Amino acid sequence: RGFEKENISRRTMTAGAAAASVGTWEAEHHRLDKTSVWLRSTAIPVKAVNGKGDAVMVLSSDITASVLARQALEQERALTQTYMESMPVGIFVHDPFGQFTEANKAFCEMVGMARDELINTSMFDIEVGIGVERLTELWGSLTGEQQKVRYEGTGLQPGGRRVPWRINLAAIDVNGERRLLGGARDLTIERETEGILQRQTHALDLSHMVIRLDPSWRIIDANAKFLERFDTSLAEVIGQDWSEYGSTSSADHRASERRSQMKLLASGQPVQTELMRLTKLRRSVWMLASYHAYLNATGDIESITVFALDISDRKDADRRIGEAQKVEADRKSTRLNSSHLVISYAVFCLKK
C-alpha cells in the first residue's frame, strides 16, 4: 500500500485471488524518488504449505512506456475530436463503399441526423445524384499526385429538405485501410445571397447603363442601355479607353484623377462622379457614374464595373432654371437703374 497509488482495485483483485481465482490489474506506483511507474500485476493464489496460511503471489511487469503512449494517443484523439467538433465545417470520414465511420456535430446538423443514425448510413443515402460510378470516379481522382478533390453537390435530409454544399475530399489511411476524409460547407446562405445579387444586378441592368472595364480602364463589356444611349455597338466600344466616354479635361488631369480613383477602388471604396459625353450624333449625355472594383485573391483590381444613370434631363432643367434666374436678375437690375435715373432727374429739378 505504501507504493501503489490507488490500491482499491489491488485489494479487490487479491481478495479474488485468495478465493482461488487469478486477478490482473494495472496501477500507478510511487518509487522512493517520488517518480511514478505503471505495473501490470497478476495475483496468483498459493495454497498452504506445512500448515501455514494461504498466500498470494503477485507477478508484476513494467508497462509505463505503453501506458504513457496510450495516454498520449487518447489525448491526441480527444484533441482531434474537440477540433473536429469546434469547426464550422461539416467533417466526415467514410470507407471506399461510402459507409460513414466518423462525423462531427456540424455535418450531422447539416444532414439532419444524429451521429448514431449517420454511422449506419452511406453517402448514397444523403447526397442527391451520387452513385457507385461517381464515388469510384472520386476515388480515382485521388490517386497519383492529386491529393485533394473539390466538388459541389446537394445533400438530402430525412424530411426532404435539400442542402447545397461544397465538399473537399482527401484520401487518408486509418489503421492501414484507405478512407475518404471530407469537409462539407453549407452553401444555402451563399446561394440565397447570389440570387439576391443577381436580381439586383438585373434590376440595375434595366435601369442603368452598365459598363465593365479592365484595370487599364478599357471597355470589355457594356449593356444594351449604354449602347443604345450612345448610338453605338458592342464591337465599336470594346477596347476603347473609358476616358473617351466622359472626360473633357486634359490628359495630365485625367491621369491624376484616375490615380486617385484607383487608390480608392483598391481599398474597396466605390467612386461616384458626374461626367458628360457626346454621342456619334453629337448629342450630349450627362451621366452620374458609380465605379465599383472587383478584387482578386491577392487584393489587386481585376475589373471595374460602372453603373451610370442618365441625368441629362436634370442637367437640362438645371441649365434652364439657371438661365431663367439670370434673366430675372438682369430684369431687376434694369428696373433698379431706371429708378435711379428718375430719382436723379427729380433731384436735378429741385436744385434748379
Side-chain angles (χ1 to χ4, degrees):
R1 295 182 183 180
F3 295 96
E4 190 171 299
K5 186 175 181 181
E6 295 291 343
N7 52 38
I8 297 176
S9 60
R10 180 185 66 82
R11 291 199 301 271
T12 302
M13 298 306 291
T14 51
S21 62
V22 177
T24 300
W25 72 98
E26 295 178 0
E28 184 179 6
H29 296 69
H30 291 303
R31 293 191 179 99
L32 294 177
D33 59 2
K34 304 302 182 182
T35 59
S36 297
V37 60
W38 278 88
L39 299 178
R40 178 183 290 115
S41 302
T42 301
I44 303 174
V46 179
K47 293 296 182 179
V49 179
N50 299 326
K52 295 182 179 180
D54 292 344
V56 176
M57 180 173 63
V58 179
L59 303 178
S60 299
S61 59
D62 189 345
I63 57 170
T64 304
S66 62
V67 169
L68 295 178
R70 187 168 65 242
Q71 290 177 346
L73 183 61
E74 290 173 353
Q75 292 175 357
E76 184 79 16
R77 186 180 292 112
L79 180 63
T80 302
Q81 188 67 28
T82 302
Y83 179 68
M84 284 180 59
E85 294 297 336
S86 64
M87 291 186 68
V89 178
I91 305 296
F92 62 87
V93 178
H94 67 68
D95 63 19
F97 305 103
Q99 186 76 28
F100 289 105
T101 59
E102 189 57 72
N104 70 344
K105 182 179 178 182
F107 187 71
C108 293
E109 291 177 349
M110 199 178 298
V111 298
M113 301 174 69
R115 183 180 178 278
D116 293 341
E117 295 175 316
L118 184 64
I119 297 302
N120 293 322
T121 62
S122 71
M123 203 67 179
F124 308 122
D125 301 316
I126 65 164
E127 184 167 8
V128 177
I130 193 169
V132 176
E133 293 183 0
R134 176 59 175 158
L135 187 61
T136 304
E137 179 184 344
L138 291 173
W139 272 103
S141 301
L142 293 169
T143 58
E145 297 181 357
Q146 186 174 354
Q147 300 299 319
K148 296 180 181 179
V149 64
R150 172 188 291 185
Y151 73 94
E152 292 187 3
T154 304
L156 184 63
Q157 294 185 353
R161 178 175 176 266
R162 298 189 173 215
V163 180
W165 59 29
R166 180 182 297 118
I167 291 182
N168 291 283
L169 292 175
I172 60 173
D173 183 88
V174 179
N175 298 326
E177 297 182 357
R178 293 270 286 176
R179 293 285 189 270
L180 270 183
L181 172 65
R185 185 178 296 277
D186 190 339
L187 302 180
T188 302
I189 297 178
E190 184 177 324
R191 293 288 170 81
E192 291 175 353
T193 304
E194 287 177 356
I196 293 172
L197 290 175
Q198 287 175 357
R199 290 191 293 272
Q200 291 177 342
T201 302
H202 180 65
L204 286 171
D205 191 59
L206 294 177
S207 61
H208 289 65
M209 293 174 279
V210 183
I211 309 96
R212 287 184 62 233
L213 314 174
D214 64 16
S216 63
W217 291 66
R218 294 194 174 277
I219 299 175
I220 56 179
D221 196 11
N223 71 341
K225 199 171 186 68
F226 174 81
L227 300 175
E228 180 183 357
R229 194 71 184 87
F230 281 89
D231 310 308
T232 186
S233 65
L234 186 60
E236 290 178 304
V237 301
I238 293 294
Q240 289 192 22
D241 193 288
W242 174 242
S243 62
E244 299 180 18
Y245 286 87
S247 181
T248 55
S249 57
S250 65
D252 291 340
H253 183 267
R254 288 200 303 269
S256 175
E257 184 181 44
R258 186 170 293 181
R259 281 195 297 270
S260 63
Q261 290 176 339
M262 287 291 282
K263 187 176 180 180
L264 289 172
L265 291 171
S267 67
Q269 300 182 54
V271 175
Q272 192 172 83
T273 184
E274 291 185 359
L275 46 88
M276 190 273 288
R277 170 75 161 98
L278 292 175
T279 68
K280 289 195 301 184
L281 300 179
R282 309 304 297 171
R283 289 182 297 151
S284 62
V285 177
W286 275 95
M287 295 181 289
L288 177 62
S290 180
Y291 299 81
H292 302 262
Y294 175 75
L295 307 179
N296 58 23
T298 60
D300 298 323
I301 295 179
E302 190 166 300
S303 64
I304 303 168
T305 301
V306 185
F307 298 98
L309 191 64
D310 189 343
I311 57 172
S312 302
D313 292 342
R314 193 194 76 185
K315 284 289 185 180
D316 187 55
D318 291 344
R319 179 183 60 79
R320 292 184 181 185
I321 292 173
E323 291 175 351
Q325 290 174 342
K326 185 177 183 300
V327 170
E328 182 64 22
D330 291 343
R331 186 181 295 113
K332 288 181 179 179
S333 178
T334 301
R335 286 201 300 267
L336 181 61
N337 290 336
S338 299
S339 300
H340 176 70
L341 290 173
V342 172
I343 294 171
S344 298
Y345 180 71
V347 172
F348 173 75
C349 291
L350 288 173
K351 285 183 178 179
K352 285 292 185 179

